Amino acid sequence: MGQALSTPEPADSHPDQPRWENPGSWGARHISDTAPFNLWNPGTRQYRMPNRGEYEWCREKFGDGSFMQPGWFTGISSSSPPQAAPFTLGGMPLILHPPGEEARLHMMPKAYYANPRVTNPCPEVKWGFMEFPTKSQNAEIVAALKPLANVHRVVYMPYITVAELEVGEPGRVGGWTMLYHHAEEPFLEEMKEMVSCPRLRGADSGCWFDVGGGDVAMLAWAEAYAKPRQVRGDGEVGGGEWERRSLLRVFGDVSEEMRGVPIVRCETGEAVGEFDVADGVVKCVAGGWDGLDGEGGWFCRFVDLGFY
């Protein structure tokens, strides 16, 4: 795993020229984002669709490929993406993908059998729009789901929440649409270009992290709570004891040369971990986990990272 970072420090490799504008939350703009418009409304904390003129600008910039906006990111198919490719479009996370591949497919579970007619079991549990719930709110969600479904992981994303089942569940829980994943392959393994780690310092909803000099970046895309493996099927465990993890979406091309480069929190410029790649497996040593002493490491396997 390598040597853990005991004290986060400003990264020497962080470029002098700011690569991000307002990187601490949703609405951040990447240095290569040259769109003459802004799609983020900080007042309502919502993204909007581009108007006709803005859409024509996108077609001229990225070509005539498909264009989609599920709510918190833009997906554009392009056979010739610009270099250097922007990680945002008008302040909205941008996923460039090959023609014929739908960016949203890897964000949704395969099973759509939630019952919208089942009453929300915890309507009093609510959190801010485009934010993650607190640990105590997750505990309430887990407790409310217990009589209805055998859940072992809950993934909180903007707009939707996904519950992974162990083996008619309610369609709305805690104020947000609840979808269910019921398959042998874990839902996280279907989410392409996503890494999972113990909650990284500063990994609030919509926050960005640069890797190395900034050619690769990671966005705090979602947050997950998982039932500890050692207690599954062996006694009771409360939702407050579930493991909390950050889910980070990777932007840019990852290479084997990116070994030992710092993971930099864009908002503060501090290094909160190290990035390593070996034989298709990414290993990161964290130096700034929220709520922990900063010692330890995590790893995740990457599949098909890069634009192609």
Side-chain angles (χ1 to χ4, degrees):
M1 283 287 187
Q3 181 65 40
L5 298 177
S6 57
T7 304
E9 298 176 352
D12 295 334
S13 60
H14 203 51
D16 293 334
Q17 181 182 6
R19 299 186 62 85
W20 291 91
E21 179 182 328
N22 301 322
S25 185
W26 299 102
R29 182 181 285 259
H30 185 246
I31 189 173
S32 298
D33 182 350
T34 59
F37 50 83
N38 191 345
L39 299 177
W40 174 249
N41 185 326
T44 62
R45 292 186 59 79
Q46 288 182 300
Y47 287 104
R48 63 173 177 83
M49 290 287 291
N51 59 35
R52 182 180 296 274
E54 294 165 347
Y55 179 69
E56 290 301 321
W57 183 92
C58 293
R59 291 186 60 183
E60 182 177 342
K61 177 78 171 180
F62 301 103
D64 296 332
S66 63
F67 185 100
M68 61 176 296
Q69 282 187 330
W72 73 97
F73 69 92
T74 298
I76 299 178
S77 65
S78 175
S79 57
S80 56
Q83 300 296 331
F87 298 158
T88 62
L89 172 67
M92 189 175 194
L94 173 62
I95 297 177
L96 295 170
H97 59 91
E101 177 184 288
E102 187 177 346
R104 189 181 182 184
L105 289 177
H106 307 291
M107 309 298 166
M108 307 291 285
K110 293 180 179 179
Y112 292 91
Y113 54 81
N115 189 343
R117 291 181 292 277
V118 175
T119 304
N120 183 350
C122 48
E124 71 285 353
V125 182
K126 297 180 180 179
W127 54 91
F129 193 60
M130 300 288 283
E131 296 179 0
F132 298 143
T134 64
K135 194 170 184 178
S136 61
Q137 288 172 327
N138 172 73
E140 293 184 69
I141 295 290
V142 170
L145 286 173
K146 185 177 178 180
L148 306 170
N150 193 4
V151 177
H152 76 86
R153 181 184 289 113
V154 184
V155 180
Y156 298 96
M157 292 182 281
Y159 290 89
I160 63 172
T161 301
V162 176
E164 285 193 44
L165 306 183
E166 292 266 12
V167 223
E169 284 77 14
R172 193 169 179 84
V173 180
W176 301 103
T177 298
M178 175 73 78
L179 303 178
Y180 296 87
H181 178 83
H182 192 184
E184 290 186 8
E185 181 177 325
F187 176 65
L188 296 183
E189 292 187 10
E190 297 181 0
M191 300 178 73
K192 293 183 63 177
E193 299 173 337
M194 199 77 66
V195 296
S196 169
C197 68
R199 195 177 193 279
L200 203 62
R201 175 175 293 153
D204 297 324
S205 180
C207 292
W208 287 88
F209 298 84
D210 271 339
V211 178
D215 292 334
V216 171
M218 299 191 296
L219 170 65
W221 186 274
E223 199 161 81
Y225 287 82
K227 184 186 296 184
R229 290 182 179 274
Q230 63 270 23
V231 298
R232 288 185 189 173
D234 183 22
E236 297 294 326
V237 59
E241 302 174 59
W242 284 28
E243 182 185 12
R244 185 183 188 185
R245 300 182 70 84
S246 295
L247 301 183
L248 307 171
R249 209 281 179 184
V250 178
F251 291 76
D253 296 330
V254 173
S255 68
E256 294 280 342
E257 288 71 34
M258 300 180 66
R259 306 193 66 177
V261 298
I263 300 172
V264 176
R265 183 180 174 187
C266 296
E267 184 179 16
T268 61
E270 65 177 333
V272 295
E274 290 182 1
F275 197 83
D276 194 10
V277 186
D279 299 326
V281 177
V282 171
K283 296 181 179 180
C284 295
V285 178
W289 297 352
D290 274 358
L292 298 179
D293 60 7
E295 297 293 331
W298 55 273
F299 72 92
C300 178
R301 184 175 300 277
F302 273 124
V303 180
D304 295 331
L305 273 180
F307 191 77
Y308 292 105

